[in-house]
Every structure is written in structure tokens, then in C-alpha cells.
Amino acid sequence: MADASFKDVPELFEVDLTESLTSRTESLSTFRELGPPDLVHVLKSTGRSGQRDLGSYHYVSGVDASSSASLAAYINSLTYNIEDDSGWFSKGTSWKVKSGCYCCFNAFSRVDVRVDVKIPGGVQAYAVDLRGERHEATPDIWQETFLSAILRAILYSDDPTYWLEAYRKLDPITTPEGELRFLQAAEALFLKGWQVGSDPEIQVATVVSNHLTAAIMKYFGDSGRYQYAANLFEKILAREPEVASLLAKSYLGMNEEVKAVQIMATAIKQTPQSYTLLHVQCDFLRAKGKYDWALKLARQAVNCAPSEFVTWEKLTDIYIDLGQYENALLTLNSCPMFTYNGRDAHRNLTPARVHLPPKGAIVDILPERVKTEDDEADPALLRLPAPGLRGTWARAYSLLTRLVSQIGWDELLKTRSSVFVMEEEYRMQKAHTDTRPAGDKVIHEDGSVSSPLRGDSLQGHKAERADDDASTRGVASPTQSAPDEDGHAAANDTDSETLANADGLPTIRISTESAREKAAQEKEQAANGHEDAKENGVKGIAGDAIGKPIQAAENSQDGEGVQAASQEPFSFSNKRLCERWLDNLFMVLYEDLRVWTIFRAEVAHFKTQHVAYRKTGLEWEILGDLGLRLHHKEEAKEAYQRCLDTPRYSYKPWSKLLDTYAEEGDIQRTLQVAVRVAAYQWGEYAEMTYPTQIARCFFKLGQIHGHAKISYSLLSMGLPDPVLKIMESYLHYGTTFKVEGYDF
């Protein structure tokens, strides 16, 4: 049945005809924001009476969805893409596209626009609402559909977390005329932008914080052509004063600082409660080193939008800039966290057959896509919880890692215990209040003080303090995972086993040699009667100098911890209760630091022994990610480079190194890595030039060195013609749209 397949378009063959269309119709009500990529369904037939028709489908983004004609043209192009396996002497069974259906979700009106194409025959366009009912596709609906398709193509273009099988990505905008149509549609629908949703870190989408504005800033920002975005925002400013924040950001991107400051000064008088405008001013002042001034604005932004995560995040960042780490922790603890909602996606159907044809000569340089021993890793590395964090949880964790990178783990624990109520302190205070006379005061969680009424029973007081007890127990009990009902899921996407108690923590076995040495040391310690339970105890070959973030006085064998705690002056009035999600993040950070410390100690140990240090490709990749999370860029780069020495099919290390080399300004290495990244992208049917990671890195280098130098460097690499053509397409985009550096 190979001759029923397309030559270079991926396909998923259906078990039951049109099941993909039925599934999409049933899923329409679950699409919350931009919707999933477009679905293209085709029916193929041989024209013979006894032969059963075949149904197949694939996903696509970047197709012009401005009219039924443009979508029908895409389906028509597939008719020339079908494989022809007929021989010289005998005419084989020839499959032809009998009909097709193109589905494109309109994120503004929440309808699915569909175009049915009969070959030969006519074209029928209609809209399907969330209930599955058909409606006429009006010109307004077509304009909204056109813009929705472009927004998906821009925002899904290089999102590493969004993956679909048989997903084809094409260039959404290929000419200046197409870009002009995009700008006209964006201007017409700008005030409806909040309807398409926003990033998961934004709780309430607004006119200036939504997917439409994010796509505009990404599209023009990645190529440094902010002047077009500024022109658009200038037109809208008269109707919507809040757009001043985006206009000022565009002028700052153009290095027109004086004009940006004038706009911000005028706008703050009109819209003093705009937190986005205050944030643009904050970022400008931070770039100038005026952190004290930025702090006042960040505080005002929190007052303007106290329910938004990003305002508290900005304030925490500035406290870290100023070195006010206690305030930073308290502010982080106040961040409102909300449940992560990922991108809209189709329901997964089990296909009868999957057809993924090789895409051109460039994919020949990739390793075989088969599972090898390099795809295996130590369970302790695989169970690290941090990679599973998403949305506000991931952003809060990055603030925590920034804190620990500046002051160190021990100092972070001291800061934590000085601002938050630890379990031992709470137990002591509770024991004290339990033995109080009847007329004693009761100190509540919020710091308020009240006297118990006569006749209140002890049981009543116990029930009243139950919530406080639960909150502080979360400070010290890593065995408790985050609650599900309120969305505070720091462990929502993580393995709860990694938040186990001290005895149950997963131990990373770096190598067999280190395991033997560790076993010998543990046996020796047991013989000497020592326990490996000190807060800053030594583990393994190097010493795990990472103290566990708990006040475990109840577990200490001697009474020193209790005595020290009892001597400290303590009052609830100057401490807060740590939110459980933040306490869980401390445990996640502890896991990361513990594994990283053991890894670096192993590296140092093997170097002194002059022994080669070996790990699998997947382990190197995980350690590279870990290094980036903990802000150890050089060590992370080294781990990714070691990962490339293994014959493993993986896109991530090449992608991370591409960003690293581009940031360093290393043209030769950037180009070498970019060829591999392009191969991986084409292998996944991402046939687009812009906006992509490669284009962004090329344009960043082009602003300094010029596109001519990049082009000559590509020529000197002696690449095969098909590969060279793909790599030069990124520079061709720069010439077409006059990206900075294209003319030198």
C-alpha cells in the first residue's frame, strides 16, 4: 500500500474513515485558547469498485487561511504529491486523491472553519460551532481565521514542549505583502486580542497581555525589526491608551530611548494603574542600574495587579538585584500560583499505519532513530522533579535557583529560617500555648491575637489550629506532595517519590567504581558507629555538602538542636508561614543541588585518578539541563558537548549549544551546530525559515558581523547543494525583509 502514500508529506492512516474529523468535532469545546494546528484530511481511491477507499490525515501550520480558495489550493497541491509506483510494462494500481477537508480553528469566534474539496468537483466552505452545528463562513470569520492561523504558526514554531506526530510546519509569511496583510488584520482585531487567551503565567488576558501581542513582539523582535511593530502600536494608541507599554518596548528595541521615555512619561499620567507600563519602566531602569527607582515602580505594579503572578515575580527579581534576599523570599512566598494549562491539542487516535517519509538530503547527516544504550539513564536522574515544572511553577523555581546561585545553599537556608516559621519553632510555640492558663492569648496564623471565650473546649482550640499545623508541617515534611484541589501542584508534573524522606531519597549511582567506594565507606562508618544524618554531612566519594532543607530536631540523636532552638528569641509576629508549594520547590531545589554536587565531585575525583569519566548520552543531556537550571553555563555547555560524542538521536543538545554559541558570537561553531539543528527540524517536517531558532541566532550574529560574513562562512564549509540551499534560505529571508545586517 506504499503507492497510496504521499512522497514527502507525513500521514496517519485512519482505522475508520473520517474518524479524525469526528474526533476534532467532538473536541472543539475543549479548545480554550488558540486551538490546535490545522487538520488536513484526505480520502484516496483507485476508482475500482472492489477497492476500499483509504482515509489519512496530517497536521499543518503556516498555510494561508484568508479564503476558501487558498485552503483548497493546499489540498489540490497534495494531488501531485502522491507516489506513482507503476512499472514499465504493467500499469499498477494508481491511487488518487478523491476528496479532502481542511479544518482551521477560529480562536476569536470559537468556530472551526472547514473547506470540503471534491476532486473533480466543487469547493464548499462552512463553519462548525462548539455544538457541531454548521454556519456560513462570513468575511469577518475569514479574517479572524486568517489571523488565528498566523498566530499559531508563529507561537508554535519553535515551542519545544509542543509536539505532534505528522505535524508539518510551513512559513506563515513569505513576502512583504503577506506581512502587510498580517499587520492590517492585527490592527482590525487588536481590541479583540484578549479573546484568544494569554501565556500560562498571565491569569487574566488583557488588551496588551495576550497571544496576539506576544506573537507580534516575537515576530518582529526575533529579527530586530521593531519599527513595524511600533507603527502598528502608534495607530492603535489613539483608541487604546494602554498600548503605550508595547509602543515604549518597541522603541527601546529600536534603541530610541529618548522617544520611549517620552511615551512612558506621557502614558503614566493617562494610565497610572497599568502594570505592563510600570514593568517596561522597571526593565529600563534595571538596564541603567537604577534598582532603587525600579523597586518603587515594581511595588506600585503589585498594588495595581496583586492577583497577577508576573508583578510579584518582577518585584522578587528586583529584590534579588538589590541583595535584599529576605524580602525576595517573602515576596516569592506571596506569588499567586495558578494551574498550568498547556497548548490546545487534538485527541490522540491510534492510526492504522504511520507514514513518515524522509525529508530531503539534509536528514542523511542525522544518526539512526533507533533506541540504544545511550537512551538509558540512572533512575535518580530520570526522577528529578524540576524538568516537569510548568507555567508559574517553573518561573518561581527559576527565581529560587537565581537566589541560590547568588548566595549559596547554606545562606539560603539561613535566610529561609529567619523569615519563615520552622516546624520545631512552631511545635515549641504550640506546646507553650497548650499549657497556658485559661486567660492566655491565642496567636493565629495571620498574626492576629485573640482571647478564648469562656466555655470553649480544648477540642475546639485544636480544630482551630489544625490548618496552621498543616501549613507548618508542609515546611518540614518532604513526604507530602502538593495538594491537587487548589492547583498548587509544585509536584503536579513531577514524581512524588523524589519528595520522599531522608531514608527514601533516590541515590544517584554515577559509576560502578564510585558505588564500590561508597559501599566501603558506609561499611566503615557503620563500624565506627557514625550516622550519615548530619545536616551538612558527607556522602559518597566527595561529600554531599547539601543540607536538607528541614528543621529536623525531632530526629536528632542528641539534645543540642533542641537546646539551640529554645535559646533563640522567637515570635510569630516577625515570621510568616511558608506556602506549601514553595516548600515543595525547596525540596525540588535540594534534589537538583544534591545530584549536581555528586556529579561535580565525581568529575573531580575521576580527573585526579586520571580515569575517563563515562556516561550515556541521555545522562549527559539531563546533566546539561540541570547545569542550565542552576546557572552553571560553562559546565552545562561541557555536558551538552559530551552528549554530542554519543550516537544518540536527540535535538535538544544541538539546540541548547546553538543558543550558547550565538550568544558568545562564535560564527563558525554556530553555523556547524545550525546545520544539525536544521536537519532535525526538517526531519520533523518543520519546513519553515522564520520565525525559528536558527533565524533568530543568525540575525543576532548578523547585527554584529553582517550577513555577508555568515554567507561566506557557509560557503567555506563545503556543504552539499541541497543543505547549503536550506541554510541560505534563512539569510534570504533577511534580504527580503531587510533585517539589520543584510546589506553588509
Side-chain angles (χ1 to χ4, degrees):
M1 213 182 287
D3 52 348
S5 308
F6 292 128
K7 292 175 188 173
D8 55 3
V9 176
E11 287 180 283
L12 302 173
F13 284 87
E14 295 177 315
V15 177
D16 300 317
L17 290 183
T18 70
E19 65 177 357
S20 58
L21 293 175
T22 306
S23 173
R24 183 176 172 102
T25 305
E26 292 170 353
S27 303
L28 285 178
S29 59
T30 65
F31 300 158
R32 295 178 306 272
E33 296 186 340
L34 279 177
D38 304 346
L39 172 71
V40 181
H41 176 269
V42 294
L43 278 179
K44 299 173 187 172
S45 172
T46 58
R48 297 184 179 182
S49 57
Q51 187 81 43
R52 178 173 171 265
D53 290 350
L54 288 178
S56 72
Y57 60 96
H58 65 273
Y59 307 109
V60 67
S61 61
V63 177
D64 179 8
S66 58
S67 68
S68 59
S70 58
L71 298 183
Y74 177 79
I75 291 179
N76 188 53
S77 70
L78 297 177
T79 61
Y80 304 103
N81 211 311
I82 207 158
E83 289 185 1
D84 184 12
D85 285 349
S86 55
W88 280 96
F89 302 106
S90 62
K91 186 72 175 173
T93 305
S94 59
W95 290 85
K96 291 184 179 177
V97 175
K98 178 181 175 183
S99 64
C101 180
Y102 193 107
C103 309
C104 186
F105 188 69
N106 179 335
F108 293 89
S109 297
R110 322 302 297 168
V111 295
D112 202 32
V113 175
R114 298 187 180 180
V115 176
D116 285 339
V117 181
K118 308 290 184 190
I119 302 174
V123 175
Q124 182 186 10
Y126 55 92
V128 178
D129 64 16
L130 303 183
R131 295 183 298 275
E133 298 171 0
R134 291 194 179 195
H135 302 275
E136 183 189 353
T138 62
D140 288 343
I141 283 182
W142 276 115
Q143 185 181 44
E144 292 172 354
T145 308
F146 166 68
L147 188 57
S148 299
I150 289 185
L151 297 186
R152 281 191 293 271
I154 292 172
L155 294 175
Y156 296 1
S157 61
D158 52 0
D159 185 349
T161 62
Y162 193 81
W163 183 86
L164 277 174
E165 198 163 37
Y167 180 17
R168 193 179 182 202
K169 298 178 184 177
L170 305 175
D171 276 315
I173 298 170
T174 54
T175 61
E177 292 75 27
E179 184 175 279
L180 183 60
R181 287 168 56 215
F182 166 52
L183 287 169
Q184 288 169 346
E187 182 183 353
L189 297 170
F190 191 87
L191 298 182
K192 287 185 179 180
W194 60 271
Q195 296 177 6
V196 300
S198 61
D199 289 335
E201 296 82 19
I202 306 291
Q203 187 168 27
V204 180
T206 64
V207 173
V208 292
S209 299
N210 56 61
H211 285 313
L212 174 57
T213 56
I216 292 169
M217 295 305 287
K218 178 182 178 181
Y219 180 80
F220 293 108
D222 282 2
S223 56
R225 298 184 304 128
Y226 283 103
Q227 63 270 26
Y228 296 98
N231 290 340
L232 171 66
F233 298 139
E234 286 274 16
K235 295 175 186 175
I236 299 166
L237 184 61
R239 287 182 287 161
E240 182 51 66
E242 282 209 21
V243 177
S245 60
L246 297 171
L247 181 59
K249 195 183 291 185
S250 301
Y251 276 122
L252 288 174
M254 295 162 60
N255 293 320
E256 295 273 0
E257 292 184 349
V258 174
K259 203 162 188 178
V261 170
Q262 290 171 346
I263 288 167
M264 288 189 285
T266 307
I268 201 69
K269 296 172 186 174
Q270 288 182 292
T271 56
Q273 298 298 310
S274 171
Y275 76 87
T276 50
L277 181 61
L278 291 167
H279 278 184
V280 175
Q281 292 183 332
C282 274
D283 292 336
F284 176 69
L285 290 171
R286 287 173 71 192
K288 300 298 180 186
K290 302 286 186 182
Y291 299 114
D292 292 332
W293 295 4
L295 178 62
K296 295 176 183 176
L297 293 169
R299 282 176 176 161
Q300 179 63 24
V302 167
N303 292 333
C304 295
S307 62
E308 286 293 346
F309 171 82
V310 289
T311 55
W312 293 92
E313 179 190 38
K314 186 75 70 179
L315 183 57
T316 307
D317 252 334
I318 294 173
Y319 275 132
I320 296 174
D321 290 336
L322 288 167
Q324 298 181 23
Y325 302 119
E326 291 189 1
N327 285 335
L329 263 186
L330 287 170
T331 308
L332 181 59
N333 190 54
S334 303
C335 285
M337 311 297 282
F338 10 95
T339 307
Y340 173 73
N341 291 318
R343 305 273 196 203
D344 293 326
H346 290 91
R347 187 188 305 164
N348 286 328
L349 299 173
T350 304
R353 182 165 67 91
V354 179
H355 175 64
L356 301 174
K359 189 69 185 171
I362 191 168
V363 298
D364 294 340
I365 63 176
L366 298 178
E368 285 292 322
R369 198 169 184 171
V370 291
K371 192 159 186 174
T372 64
E373 60 182 15
D374 278 302
D375 290 294
E376 298 171 0
D378 189 286
L381 286 173
L382 293 172
R383 285 205 304 264
L384 282 175
L389 297 174
R390 297 281 184 272
T392 51
W393 316 104
R395 296 270 283 264
Y397 185 69
S398 68
L399 290 172
L400 207 53
T401 56
R402 188 179 168 215
L403 256 175
V404 80
S405 70
Q406 292 204 5
I407 63 176
W409 176 246
D410 291 336
E411 192 61 34
L412 180 62
L413 286 187
K414 286 179 189 173
T415 308
R416 174 174 173 262
S417 61
S418 67
V419 296
F420 296 134
V421 179
M422 295 290 102
E423 186 187 29
E424 177 62 23
E425 295 171 333
Y426 186 80
R427 284 211 318 271
M428 288 170 54
Q429 184 74 12
K430 188 179 174 187
H432 176 68
T433 54
D434 282 347
T435 57
R436 72 186 188 280
D440 277 4
K441 308 279 188 188
V442 177
I443 305 172
H444 296 281
E445 181 177 351
D446 60 359
S448 60
V449 180
S450 65
S451 300
L453 297 174
R454 185 173 299 175
D456 279 357
S457 66
L458 185 61
Q459 290 294 331
H461 292 309
K462 285 183 179 176
E464 191 177 326
R465 290 192 300 270
D467 288 341
D468 294 357
D469 192 28
S471 299
T472 50
R473 204 182 303 119
V475 173
S477 300
T479 54
Q480 298 186 4
S481 60
D484 295 326
E485 61 273 13
D486 58 359
H488 288 352
N492 255 5
D493 304 302
T494 63
D495 189 348
S496 60
E497 288 180 9
T498 54
L499 302 182
N501 57 22
D503 296 328
L505 282 171
T507 305
I508 175 172
R509 191 183 76 251
I510 300 295
S511 62
T512 51
E513 290 86 358
S514 66
R516 286 193 206 101
E517 289 190 37
K518 184 172 179 179
Q521 285 199 8
E522 285 177 352
K523 191 181 288 185
E524 192 174 311
Q525 283 182 355
N528 294 334
H530 293 303
E531 292 187 7
D532 192 14
K534 295 179 185 175
E535 190 175 357
N536 290 320
V538 177
K539 286 187 182 179
I541 59 164
D544 180 4
I546 304 300
K548 200 173 179 189
I550 56 176
Q551 294 285 339
E554 61 182 359
N555 293 330
S556 36
Q557 301 302 316
D558 48 16
E560 293 175 11
V562 178
Q563 288 175 4
S566 62
Q567 289 169 1
E568 288 181 9
F570 167 67
S571 168
F572 269 118
S573 61
N574 59 9
K575 286 197 176 188
R576 304 266 184 90
L577 289 176
C578 183
E579 293 286 347
R580 189 168 300 179
W581 64 261
L582 181 56
D583 192 67
N584 283 333
L585 285 190
F586 268 100
M587 292 306 305
V588 172
L589 179 59
Y590 168 69
E591 281 299 301
D592 272 0
L593 288 170
R594 190 178 68 86
V595 170
W596 182 257
T597 304
I598 295 173
F599 161 61
R600 295 311 300 172
E602 286 277 359
V603 171
H605 173 73
F606 275 72
K607 276 184 180 176
T608 57
Q609 300 295 321
H610 303 290
V611 178
Y613 187 56
R614 294 187 180 88
K615 300 190 81 60
T616 67
L618 180 57
E619 287 174 336
W620 281 121
E621 185 178 303
I622 294 172
L623 289 167
D625 293 344
L626 177 58
L628 277 187
R629 283 200 302 274
L630 298 176
H631 304 279
H632 298 295
K633 291 186 179 179
E634 283 304 314
E635 292 89 342
K637 183 170 83 170
E638 182 187 347
Y640 286 131
Q641 288 168 338
R642 294 288 298 271
C643 181
L644 303 186
D645 296 337
T646 61
R648 179 170 176 267
Y649 188 95
S650 179
Y651 163 76
K652 186 188 281 184
W654 295 101
S655 170
K656 297 291 186 185
L657 285 173
L658 178 61
D659 281 334
T660 303
Y661 291 143
E663 201 173 317
E664 293 172 355
D666 190 332
I667 286 187
Q668 204 60 40
R669 285 184 174 176
T670 301
L671 293 179
Q672 290 168 353
V673 172
V675 172
R676 299 286 180 146
V677 173
Y680 276 106
Q681 288 181 350
W682 277 74
E684 297 290 346
Y685 307 99
E687 308 161 36
M688 64 188 303
T689 305
Y690 185 86
T692 56
Q693 182 192 13
I694 298 175
R696 183 173 67 248
C697 292
F698 276 16
F699 297 156
K700 187 187 291 184
L701 290 174
Q703 290 176 351
I704 304 166
H705 303 286
H707 289 194
K709 185 173 182 180
I710 298 174
S711 181
Y712 292 139
S713 300
L714 277 173
L715 284 171
S716 68
M717 292 170 67
L719 300 170
D721 284 343
V723 179
L724 182 62
K725 188 177 178 182
I726 290 172
M727 300 311 296
E728 285 186 332
S729 67
Y730 300 101
L731 299 177
H732 177 68
Y733 176 92
T735 306
T736 304
F737 289 91
K738 296 182 170 53
V739 175
E740 185 180 354
Y742 81 99
D743 52 353
F744 67 89

